[in-house]
Structure formats: structure tokens, C-alpha cells
Amino acid sequence: MTTKINFNGEIFDELSISVMDHGFLFGDSVYEVVSTLNNQPCFLDKHLDRLNNSAQAISLKIPRDRGWFREQLKSTLVSAGNEESYIRIIVTRGIGEINIDPSSCANPNIILIVMDVTKYSESFYEKGIQVALVSIKRNPLDSLNPNIKTGNYLNNVLAKMEAEKLGAQDAIMVNPWGYLTEGTTSNLFFVCEGHILTPSMECGILSGITREIIIQLAKENGFHIEEGKWPGAELLKADEIFLTGTIKKVMPVSHLDGRPVGTGKPGPITLNLLRLYDDLLTKKV
Ligand code: PDD
């Protein structure tokens, strides 16, 4: 049950960070969430690729290379000594003047949080979760592009709060044109007449690492899978819905807007993909 925090290469039990860091002031930061298997990071290369892409997209120069991240993560994981860990990698713009201009921030800060992971209990996978289609829209591509994983998640926080007010555990957002996008920290898939459908990148979503793996697994295992644009109302016709993400893995959805999805129990395609994903994880690490 240990938390260790690596700040620019030094490991601490707790960390205070300057209120003048633009990550704190403006959400001017990028981040990744990585899971572990046997306390080893899963898909670390893919996460470091996306971290670099996110940083590049906001013109944030990360002062350390991939080897440094690997080394530091390794020592922080050993220091924490958990059975399994939740890893959050954050790179902030750094300390600067108290105005929005990032040019006064000379040194980005790198923070690696390693803590005991709180996994979803088995009952979530057995019963599924309840979601709601919310009125808060996912940012359009030419605003803060959802494919940049920044520390500015307030849009998604508002969506999550709206879902909870509606009695659901998570939110599904559409884009400003009414097309389905994703969950607040997960990608969306649904099944109609045996076809697996998932919103395409042009709808404005994060290119989830779990999403990519699920698309590949579905193709390799003979499922019909399609990326595209569907209005929010399409989801009401779904026989199965599931969300994907690093911690959620493949999470069945039992209810949408208070109504059962299909039988109201996790569907066969969802459970099949969850099993395939779990098998892949144990083979990979
Ligand atoms: N969230 N969409 C959004 C908006 C996300 O924040 C995430 C990840 C995903 C799924 O991506 P991946 O499969 O690479 O985890 C999709 C992480 C887990 C988080 O912020 O906690």
C-alpha cells in the first residue's frame, strides 16, 4: 500500500509542487496512466509514444529521453514495492510567471506517481456499469484536440458530474455535431446486429491504447469491426456497449440512461473481447 513519487529523478513519499507551476495554474501539462502486470509497466512504449506526441502537440519539450523514463520508473516501482501499481506520468510546463504565456517556464517538471492500484472489482465485470449520454460535449478537434492527453480535463469532469447527477457511473459524450465520441476516461464500443462499432478519430477522441489493441484483437479473431461516425441516438439500438481503458480494460455497460442495454447483462462479444485482452496481457509481460 505504498505511494512513491519521483520528482525530476528523486523519489519521495509525498510531494508538494509550486503553485506557480503552469500545470497547476492552467492545466498546462501532459500525462499518461499506465497499469502493471507483475509490477512491470504494460505497453510502456506505446504510452511513452503518446506522451511524446501530446507534448509535441502543445510545444512542450520533454527534457529527458525514453531510457531515462524507463530507468526512473523501474527504481520508483522497486521503491514502492507494491504487488501491482497504478502509474501516472506527468510532465508539466514548469514554474513561470502568473500569466498564461508559457515562455516564462524554463524547466518542465517530470512527476512519476507510483501507487497501489485500485482495480475494479469482479462484480463490475459481472454486472456491467451504468452510463448516461450527457449534454456536455467532447471538445471539437480544432479546439483542445481530445487526442492530446493534457492535464486539462475539466470538460470531462463536468461530464462525469452530470452523469452522476443522472444516477449513472460514467458519461458518454457526443461532439458538437451530435456524433458519439467516448467516455470521460475511456473509449466507446457498441455492438449492433453482431457488428462491433466504435467512433473514429475524426469524431474527436483520444487514440486509446486499449482501443487500438481491441480493434486489432477483434480483427484477428474474425469479428466485424468498423470505425465511423454515429449520432448519439444509435447507441439506444445497441445490443451491447463496452468501454475500454488502461484501468477499466474492457468494461461492460449494463444500462444506458437508466434502460437496460440488450439483456441488461454483459453481452457475449464484450466478454469474449475481455477474455482475449486478459490473455494478451498475460502473454505480453
Ligand atoms: N484515461 N479516452 C480518454 C478521454 C481517456 O482519458 C482515456 C484514458 C482513454 C483510454 O485510453 P487508454 O486505453 O490508452 O487508457 C480514452 C486514463 C486511464 C486516465 O486518465 O485515467
Side-chain angles (χ1 to χ4, degrees):
M1 289 290 202
T2 321
T3 299
K4 293 285 176 187
I5 304 160
N6 183 314
F7 183 62
N8 297 326
E10 265 188 88
I11 301 172
F12 300 92
D13 291 336
E14 278 179 37
L15 177 72
S16 301
I17 184 154
S18 168
V19 293
M20 293 303 164
D21 191 308
H22 281 208
F24 172 75
L25 286 172
F26 307 115
D28 191 348
S29 62
V30 292
Y31 82 99
E32 283 297 318
V33 173
V34 185
S35 62
T36 63
L37 193 81
N38 304 325
N39 216 24
Q40 301 297 311
C42 298
F43 311 118
L44 184 56
D45 270 327
K46 289 180 193 285
H47 284 285
L48 293 176
D49 283 346
R50 190 168 65 187
L51 185 77
N52 279 319
N53 292 341
S54 295
Q56 220 168 37
I58 65 163
S59 304
L60 170 62
K61 199 167 173 334
I62 300 181
R64 301 290 190 172
D65 63 15
R66 203 172 272 264
W68 184 90
F69 277 89
R70 283 194 167 281
E71 285 295 304
Q72 294 298 325
L73 262 180
K74 203 165 151 187
S75 53
T76 315
L77 282 162
V78 168
S79 167
N82 296 320
E83 221 166 275
E84 294 296 353
S85 295
Y86 169 102
I87 301 168
R88 180 171 287 236
I89 306 174
I90 308 165
V91 184
T92 72
R93 188 76 69 178
I95 295 171
E97 288 170 16
I98 193 161
N99 66 57
I100 200 163
D101 184 351
S103 64
S104 62
C105 307
N107 302 305
N109 281 320
I110 306 179
I111 300 148
L112 311 174
I113 304 175
V114 170
M115 56 200 290
D116 203 42
V117 66
T118 312
K119 287 187 184 155
Y120 287 91
S121 70
E122 271 309 306
S123 71
F124 279 85
Y125 297 96
E126 283 159 12
K127 291 188 193 144
I129 61 164
Q130 309 215 13
V131 302
L133 266 169
V134 294
S135 66
I136 293 279
K137 305 287 181 286
R138 192 69 175 110
N139 317 39
L141 280 174
D142 53 0
S143 177
L144 178 57
N145 185 336
N147 197 27
I148 311 171
K149 197 160 172 56
T150 74
N152 189 329
Y153 256 51
L154 199 47
N155 198 67
N156 298 18
V157 171
L158 293 176
K160 172 92 174 167
M161 284 163 61
E162 187 180 338
E164 283 186 357
K165 260 196 211 148
L166 295 166
Q169 286 143 297
D170 209 346
I172 304 292
M173 289 172 278
V174 294
N175 67 20
W177 300 275
Y179 291 106
L180 288 165
T181 63
E182 60 182 343
T184 55
T185 55
S186 54
N187 289 112
L188 168 69
F189 289 77
F190 56 110
V191 179
C192 283
E193 292 168 3
H195 291 188
I196 307 170
L197 311 174
T198 192
S200 59
M201 292 305 299
E202 62 175 314
C203 298
I205 59 167
L206 181 74
S207 177
I209 289 163
T210 324
R211 173 184 182 273
E212 266 181 37
I213 294 168
I214 290 298
I215 292 174
Q216 199 187 330
L217 280 175
K219 286 181 180 161
E220 286 169 7
N221 287 276
F223 291 101
H224 179 283
I225 183 155
E226 201 181 318
E227 296 177 63
K229 280 165 76 173
W230 291 278
E234 270 316 284
L235 212 49
L236 305 172
K237 300 182 200 157
D239 304 314
E240 298 181 34
I241 301 177
F242 59 92
L243 301 175
T244 63
T246 293
I247 305 295
K248 284 194 177 72
K249 304 195 290 184
V250 175
M251 179 61 71
V253 171
S254 64
H255 290 76
L256 170 69
D257 293 341
R259 284 186 292 269
V261 177
T263 60
K265 296 214 171 75
I269 294 182
T270 305
L271 292 177
N272 208 332
L273 287 168
L274 173 60
R275 188 183 50 79
L276 289 168
Y277 183 75
D278 273 338
D279 288 351
L280 180 90
L281 270 187
T282 36
K283 257 192 271 156
K284 267 263 145 76
V285 180

